[in-house]
Amino acid sequence: MPAIPAAQHQTAAAILALHEAREAAEAPRQYLGASVIGHPCARYLWLSLRLTHREQFSGRMLRLFERGRREEAFFIDDLRAIGVEVHELAPDGQQFRVEAHGGHFAGHLDGCARGLPAAPVTWHVLEFQTHNTKSFRELAAKGVQEAKPMHWAQMQVYMALTGMDRAMYLAVCKDDDSLHSERVALDKEAARRLLERAERIIFADAPPQRLSTDPSWWQCKLCRMHEQCHGTAAPRPTCRSCAHVTPERDAT
């Protein structure tokens, strides 16, 4: 019996193409996300909000993102199994949404919880993340604020906008299933600065300053906005990238 040609990989290719097609059909996010407000470059955030570029991820990367989202359900099941009260959805059946600046700035919580072993009566914002081994080891050694400042900033915004003053950061290493849990306290001053930063970026008439004026700076070289920021690439033609666009306070 002749062998099945292994080099074709048609099934795997079809699965990856499916994820790429789904991603291409999704509408881009219409607000500045709390998950990125801790990004070091304000110009990057300004360009992102105006949809000047849309990154095309491979099917493999999209499946990796989806695997991270599926991990949220495992975390919720585990928390409930140890007696924690968890709410992952709002009364309308959607994720809890927080917003500011007329809705131009927003985010969606992984959930909220009460009854955690370390603080049984305190409500916590829940933030779930997956890491590879290198990233996880850094997190375990340094803590979330130093190792993952964008995740820390995201939790600060969520706490400030929900009225909770504690967050629980739960992380898993994708390579060996090691767990890291860390309680994070609200830093009111840091949260205020982050919300003010979002407001400045959203309503700025012109792009903020670059993180670096040197196009070869390592953070700039790795940035998906590099060619538009330091080079000559034109922005994607959308209403948001028009020179005459004006964000209004009612989110229009």
Side-chain angles (χ1 to χ4, degrees):
M1 179 182 293
I4 298 174
Q8 293 185 12
H9 300 302
Q10 293 178 334
T11 300
I15 291 172
L16 298 178
L18 169 68
H19 285 274
E20 291 170 4
R22 286 176 175 172
E23 173 72 5
E26 286 189 6
R29 187 165 61 184
Q30 302 293 312
Y31 55 85
L32 179 61
S35 62
V36 296
I37 192 58
H39 192 284
C41 183
R43 190 183 183 97
Y44 166 86
L45 295 175
W46 190 91
L47 292 169
S48 297
L49 178 63
R50 281 151 181 79
L51 306 180
T52 62
H53 173 79
R54 185 171 185 181
E55 190 168 5
Q56 301 298 312
F57 293 102
S58 68
R60 183 188 69 84
M61 286 301 301
L62 293 169
R63 291 191 77 252
L64 195 61
F65 297 155
E66 183 59 33
R67 178 169 294 179
R69 286 189 284 269
R70 290 201 300 268
E71 194 69 38
E72 296 173 8
F74 291 123
F75 274 129
I76 291 170
D77 287 345
D78 285 343
L79 286 171
R80 286 179 173 150
I82 63 170
V84 178
E85 178 184 353
V86 180
H87 299 272
E88 73 271 35
L89 299 175
D92 62 1
Q94 302 299 313
Q95 273 189 295
F96 291 105
R97 175 186 167 101
V98 293
E99 62 180 45
H101 312 313
H104 288 298
F105 180 62
H108 295 84
L109 279 67
D110 290 335
C112 58
R114 181 173 60 178
L116 292 163
V121 300
T122 304
W123 281 102
H124 288 68
V125 167
L126 291 176
E127 179 62 24
F128 305 136
Q129 293 289 341
T130 59
H131 298 260
N132 60 29
T133 298
K134 180 181 178 181
S135 175
F136 187 87
R137 287 175 177 170
E138 183 183 17
L139 170 68
K142 299 179 179 178
V144 64
Q145 183 173 3
E146 183 177 351
K148 298 296 172 185
M150 287 180 63
H151 295 168
W152 185 84
Q154 180 181 7
M155 288 186 286
Q156 292 300 325
V157 168
Y158 287 167
M159 285 186 281
L161 294 180
T162 60
M164 287 180 266
D165 60 9
R166 291 293 185 272
M168 171 55 73
Y169 185 81
L170 276 174
V172 62
C173 177
K174 294 177 288 188
D175 300 322
D176 64 8
D177 235 35
S178 296
L179 295 178
H180 174 85
S181 62
E182 182 176 344
R183 293 181 70 218
V184 176
L186 172 64
D187 183 330
K188 292 183 179 180
E189 182 59 24
R192 181 189 64 79
R193 291 195 301 267
L194 288 165
L195 288 167
E196 289 180 351
R197 185 185 196 221
E199 184 175 30
R200 287 194 303 273
I201 291 169
I202 290 165
F203 298 107
D205 293 330
Q209 290 185 343
R210 298 179 178 90
L211 184 64
S212 173
T213 57
D214 181 1
S216 64
W217 177 247
W218 69 273
Q219 287 170 298
C220 295
K221 285 176 65 177
L222 296 173
C223 180
R224 64 189 178 97
M225 301 290 185
H226 185 276
E227 289 305 310
Q228 295 169 320
C229 182
H230 287 284
T232 59
R236 290 176 65 241
T238 72
C239 291
R240 284 174 175 255
S241 64
C242 174
H244 303 289
V245 70
T246 303
E248 300 292 350
R249 295 280 173 174
D250 62 355
T252 55

